[in-house]
Amino acid sequence: MKSTTFLSPSLSKRRLMALTAAMGGALALAACGGGNDDEAAQPPKANPVTTAPVTTCSAAGVAASNASALRTVCMLTSDGEIVVELDGRAPITVDNFVKYVNAKYYDNTIFHRVVPGFVVQGGGWTTGLQQKTAGQVAPIKLEAGIAGLSNTKYTIAMARSTVPDSATSEFYFNSADNSAGLDKTATSAGYAVFGRVISGQATIDKINAEPTQQWMGIETPRTEVLLYWAVALK
């Protein structure tokens, strides 16, 4: 990880704790830290645009998908579109993600955790910071440490608890080069990268620039960032 990723060693530790706590519910989320120091007096504001402005991927998104030899998924958020290509070197993780996409599990969820200069995380919470569990499938085996897959900027990876083989639906986008902090090492199980953003990198930047606050121990956007839908293009 670049030295500018975290403001201090203690902040780095808190942010890493926040990510490992992703699947643990409200109590585990209390370990989250970083970002704004003021504790919010009220929950995040609901996004005023509750209905997706479009229901299909843009021409640019489809073109990016067609140019890739890999499986792709298009997502529409309230901050814009994202297209990711999924790397077959992490087959368990890719298949798990696509199952959730095809089941429409990610539709009408939120990016519940946004840590500036670190990650944008979603896939498991709905408006009002309500944890979504109905429809989750069994946790998957951790596919971290695969050659060529690293937590670099604009990659997508799975969030998990402190137990390595615990990832279910939650994913995150790296909004900085987090390879030194989130990749597998001799002392850390790491986090499973399974693809990268091939269209919509500006959307990741926009979400990561949203004003954040602390609520229920989580660093979350002051106004909810919605994930309207996700669809497999191929």
Side-chain angles (χ1 to χ4, degrees), residues 34-77:
N36 296 348
D37 292 329
D38 58 312
E39 191 71 21
Q42 59 185 8
K45 296 179 181 178
N47 194 294
V49 185
T50 58
T51 303
V54 296
T55 58
T56 58
C57 201
S58 70
V62 171
S65 171
N66 291 340
S68 172
L70 303 178
R71 299 166 76 178
T72 57
V73 167
C74 183
M75 304 177 177
L76 183 67
T77 81

Side-chain angles (χ1 to χ4, degrees), residues 7 30 95 126 151 157 198 208 219 234:
L7 299 179
D95 286 348
T126 59
N151 281 274
I198 57 173
N208 199 241
E219 189 167 357
K234 63 179 183 180

Side-chain angles (χ1 to χ4, degrees), residues 51-113:
T51 303
V54 296
T55 58
T56 58
C57 201
S58 70
V62 171
S65 171
N66 291 340
S68 172
L70 303 178
R71 299 166 76 178
T72 57
V73 167
C74 183
M75 304 177 177
L76 183 67
T77 81
S78 52
D79 277 349
E81 183 182 271
I82 303 167
V83 179
V84 296
E85 65 174 14
L86 308 177
D87 200 307
R89 288 174 290 184
I92 296 172
T93 312
V94 168
D95 286 348
N96 177 76
F97 182 72
V98 172
K99 285 179 181 177
Y100 280 110
V101 170
N102 289 340
K104 303 298 183 183
Y105 186 89
Y106 295 130
D107 292 11
N108 302 311
T109 57
I110 63 172
F111 287 94
H112 64 283
R113 190 195 310 277

Side-chain angles (χ1 to χ4, degrees), residues 1-232:
M1 185 179 301
K2 295 179 181 179
S3 60
T4 55
T5 300
F6 299 125
L7 299 179
S8 68
S10 61
L11 182 55
S12 172
K13 182 177 180 181
R14 290 200 303 272
R15 285 178 168 177
L16 186 56
M17 288 171 64
L19 192 61
T20 58
M23 306 305 298
L27 291 178
L29 287 172
C32 176
N36 296 348
D37 292 329
D38 58 312
E39 191 71 21
Q42 59 185 8
K45 296 179 181 178
N47 194 294
V49 185
T50 58
T51 303
V54 296
T55 58
T56 58
C57 201
S58 70
V62 171
S65 171
N66 291 340
S68 172
L70 303 178
R71 299 166 76 178
T72 57
V73 167
C74 183
M75 304 177 177
L76 183 67
T77 81
S78 52
D79 277 349
E81 183 182 271
I82 303 167
V83 179
V84 296
E85 65 174 14
L86 308 177
D87 200 307
R89 288 174 290 184
I92 296 172
T93 312
V94 168
D95 286 348
N96 177 76
F97 182 72
V98 172
K99 285 179 181 177
Y100 280 110
V101 170
N102 289 340
K104 303 298 183 183
Y105 186 89
Y106 295 130
D107 292 11
N108 302 311
T109 57
I110 63 172
F111 287 94
H112 64 283
R113 190 195 310 277
V114 172
V115 186
F118 186 45
V119 298
V120 168
Q121 186 174 333
W125 298 71
T126 59
T127 186
L129 277 180
Q130 299 296 310
Q131 191 169 24
K132 183 175 182 177
T133 56
Q136 277 192 357
V137 297
I140 59 174
K141 180 177 177 60
L142 177 64
E143 292 182 305
I146 297 173
L149 294 178
S150 178
N151 281 274
T152 54
K153 192 173 184 179
Y154 301 128
T155 55
I156 184 172
M158 292 302 293
R160 59 172 177 81
S161 73
T162 54
V163 178
D165 298 337
S166 61
T168 55
S169 66
E170 287 191 32
F171 60 87
Y172 64 91
F173 292 104
N174 284 292
S175 53
D177 181 1
N178 297 319
S179 54
L182 300 182
D183 284 359
K184 183 178 181 179
T185 66
T187 58
S188 172
Y191 296 82
V193 175
F194 62 98
R196 67 185 182 95
V197 177
I198 57 173
S199 179
Q201 294 179 343
T203 300
I204 303 299
D205 294 340
K206 186 175 181 180
I207 297 173
N208 199 241
E210 291 282 357
T212 62
Q213 64 182 16
Q214 294 290 323
W215 178 255
M216 294 170 55
I218 183 174
E219 189 167 357
T220 189
R222 291 187 181 275
T223 299
E224 291 178 341
V225 178
L226 306 180
L227 174 51
Y228 295 116
W229 50 258
V231 61

